[in-house]
């Protein structure tokens, strides 16, 4: 017999709740760091290409902001 992953009232079983929380807890910092790496890397490349050193910190800050926004959209609502 195959067991359902949800209770009749829509709640997840304890093990699944813990797994979902652990996945969210590790995915949130990964999303923030990935945003900083991607946009920081783009800022670094553009700063090297255009000879404007301010683009690296701008890219890092934008990556941080977009990373936090992504975490908010995924887990904060």
């Amino acid at each position: 017999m195959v067991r359902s992953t949800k209770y009749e009232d829509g709640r997840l079983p304890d093990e699944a709740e813990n797994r979902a929380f652990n996945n969210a807890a590790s995915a949130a910092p990964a999303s923030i760091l990935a945003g900083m790496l991607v946009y920081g890397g783009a800022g670094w490349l553009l700063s090297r290409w255009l000879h404007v050193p301010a683009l690296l910190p701008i890219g890092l800050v934008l990556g941080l902001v977009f990373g936090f926004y992504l975490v908010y959209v995924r887990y904060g609502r």
Side-chain angles (χ1 to χ4, degrees), residues 39-62:
Y39 284 96
W44 178 75
L45 287 173
L46 284 173
S47 71
R48 301 271 299 188
W49 183 43
L50 299 173
H51 303 290
V52 180
L55 292 178
L56 173 61
I58 291 171
L60 289 172
V61 170
L62 280 176

Side-chain angles (χ1 to χ4, degrees), residues 4-70:
S4 173
T5 58
K6 289 189 176 184
Y7 292 122
E8 290 178 9
D9 62 354
R11 292 183 303 120
L12 294 172
D14 291 333
E15 184 179 336
E17 287 174 356
N18 290 338
R19 190 174 304 126
F21 176 77
N22 289 338
N23 288 343
S26 63
S31 296
I32 294 168
L33 287 174
M36 289 181 66
L37 283 172
V38 168
Y39 284 96
W44 178 75
L45 287 173
L46 284 173
S47 71
R48 301 271 299 188
W49 183 43
L50 299 173
H51 303 290
V52 180
L55 292 178
L56 173 61
I58 291 171
L60 289 172
V61 170
L62 280 176
L64 186 66
V65 168
F66 288 146
F68 274 112
Y69 177 72
L70 181 63

